[in-house]
Amino acid sequence: MRSASLPSPSAAEPARKPLHGGLATWRRRIAAWMAGHLLPAPANIVGAGGLASERIQRILVCRPNHRLGNTVLLTALLVEIERRFPGAEVDLLSAGPAAATLFRGFDIVGDCTTLDRRAVRRPLATFRALRKLRARRYDLVIDAAAGSSSGRVAGALANARLQLRTDDMPTHGQVRHLAARPVQALRWALGVAAEIDVPSLDIRLTEQERRAGQDALARVLRGVNERHLPVVAIFPNATGSKLLDTNWWHDFTTELVALHGEACVIELVSADGMSRLGGGYPTYYTSDPRKLAAFIEAAGTYISADCGVMHLAAGTRATTVGLFGPTDPVRYGPYGGDNAAIVCEEGCPRLAARRVATHLARMSKHARI
């Protein structure tokens, strides 16, 4: 099992502009205030060392977020639960349409309930989902999303003997990455001695899925990569200010190939089916996240800006490189293994390419040793 070890957090949290606008920020603040002040304080909250590993058979994990990346980040917690409670079954509350597919590789996962991403605007669907949780009896519910008012509400309403809130864990001295925090919170509640390594992201691809990914890669490269050059899969898409334009990517790939050596670049096409690189490279498209993950693993190297597909790639055996500008790489970087977050706030594609080439060369050297 791979594990991740990240640098210790710095004392100061970097100030960064919200990516989704001031209105969304205020909406989250209001919802958080309501969750904190209007819900009665539950009596089943566990604190440091207050959780015993015995009698924990049915677990509910709440992470009601629709984004692919936030959904994938849960896999580190699932690996930890599998280790701490090997005989337990885990139900999930998500808002991502891909959740049931993504977690298919985990035998411990039972039911996956999905909230609508606009839960407030669809009260009947939301009520039915929450009533479904109330109808079941859980030994432990884990609110895995720090700062999520919807996760706190769902955790409070679930019919559970014990409840663990990631927000309740002290953050001083803890790794700030969002994949690590719920794992650390569970260890804190169990009273387990602090450990450096946290499980890496892992979507548990099967050998059959891996072979299908290799077949898909061979199909895309037929007649294109007769020299069997190393393959680099690039996903040139992201949301908001993280998006890098076509010219940036062309300059980046040109410089990267010049520095790192000849390679066969493949563009991974986003959900809208539109190439961002003008068809200058072989392309691959699928709407199935597990097929995409298998293809990325077969390619071996993946590069993109901070996005959900980057976290999906980090859940495979591929070397994943994330390019970071407005977001914090310590919190959102591609987690685990030989993955790396490359800061390129200067906006220069050639400088970013040099940093990526240096990392890939270092990984190649380690692989030969």
Side-chain angles (χ1 to χ4, degrees), residues 12-28:
E13 184 82 14
R16 292 175 184 264
K17 184 179 179 180
L19 296 178
H20 306 294
L23 181 60
T25 300
W26 278 107
R27 190 162 56 239
R28 286 194 295 270

Side-chain angles (χ1 to χ4, degrees), residues 29-39 153:
R29 288 177 179 174
I30 292 170
W33 184 91
M34 293 177 66
H37 291 79
L38 300 184
L39 286 175
V153 170

Side-chain angles (χ1 to χ4, degrees), residues 4 8 29 56-57 60 65-66 74 88 91 113 148 162 179 186 225 244 248 273 275 280 304 340 346 354 367:
S8 299
R29 288 177 179 174
I56 302 295
Q57 306 297 337
L60 173 66
N65 188 287
H66 71 280
L74 268 186
D91 288 350
T113 300
S148 169
L162 299 171
L186 180 59
N225 192 21
L244 301 166
W248 194 98
S275 168
S304 76
E346 303 89 344
R354 287 198 288 273

Side-chain angles (χ1 to χ4, degrees), residues 253-262 350-351 353-355 357-358:
T253 52
T254 300
E255 184 74 7
L256 180 65
V257 170
L259 292 169
H260 185 57
E262 288 188 280
R350 293 178 178 82
L351 179 57
R354 287 198 288 273
R355 291 172 179 168
T358 299

Side-chain angles (χ1 to χ4, degrees), residues 44-80:
N44 62 348
I45 296 291
V46 295
L51 178 62
S53 58
E54 298 82 12
R55 296 178 56 218
I56 302 295
Q57 306 297 337
R58 300 201 66 188
I59 301 172
L60 173 66
V61 173
C62 296
R63 187 66 167 96
N65 188 287
H66 71 280
R67 296 184 179 277
L68 174 65
N70 287 328
T71 304
V72 174
L73 292 178
L74 268 186
T75 60
L77 176 61
L78 291 179
V79 172
E80 184 72 9

